[in-house]
Amino acid sequence: MLITIGNFKGGSAKTTMAFHIAAYMQTLAPTILGDGDIVRGSVKWAARRPGVPFKVVPLAQLAKEMRSARYEHTVIDTEANPSDQDFK
C-alpha cells in the first residue's frame, strides 16, 4: 500500500501523521517512510528517537531502498505547497 500525506499549508502535522501511520502500518507488515519535505523532519525525528520500528529515508533514497528490501507499505511525507509535478 502506498500512502502519501500532503497539504498545501506548512505546519499542518503532515510529518506527525506520516510517522504515526507508518508506525501502525509496520504492525501489519514491513513499512518504509520516505521524507519528501525539504527540512527532513521525518529523518530528523527518527534520528532523535532510537527504536523507530520502521525505516525512514529521504525521498531521493526511497527507490534504492525499496529495491534492496521488501516493504509491503510505503508512507510518503511531502513538503508544504506541492507543485503539480509533485502530484504526478
Side-chain angles (χ1 to χ4, degrees):
M1 177 180 299
L2 173 63
I3 300 172
T4 302
I5 308 300
N7 193 332
F8 285 102
K9 182 184 175 305
S12 59
K14 291 181 303 295
T15 297
T16 302
M17 185 182 303
F19 220 85
H20 286 278
I21 289 172
Y24 172 73
M25 299 306 284
Q26 178 67 29
T27 67
L28 305 175
T31 300
I32 188 167
L33 191 155
D35 189 347
D37 195 340
I38 195 162
V39 298
R40 298 289 180 254
S42 293
V43 170
K44 291 175 185 174
W45 198 6
R48 289 190 308 260
R49 288 159 178 81
V52 172
F54 51 89
K55 182 85 172 187
V56 180
V57 297
L59 198 57
Q61 295 175 9
L62 184 61
K64 179 181 177 184
E65 183 64 34
M66 290 178 70
R67 281 192 300 271
S68 67
R70 180 177 157 83
Y71 294 100
E72 189 73 24
H73 304 295
T74 303
V75 178
I76 300 175
D77 178 18
T78 64
E79 65 182 328
N81 199 16
S83 68
D84 289 340
Q85 183 62 32
D86 291 329
F87 283 112
K88 291 179 185 177

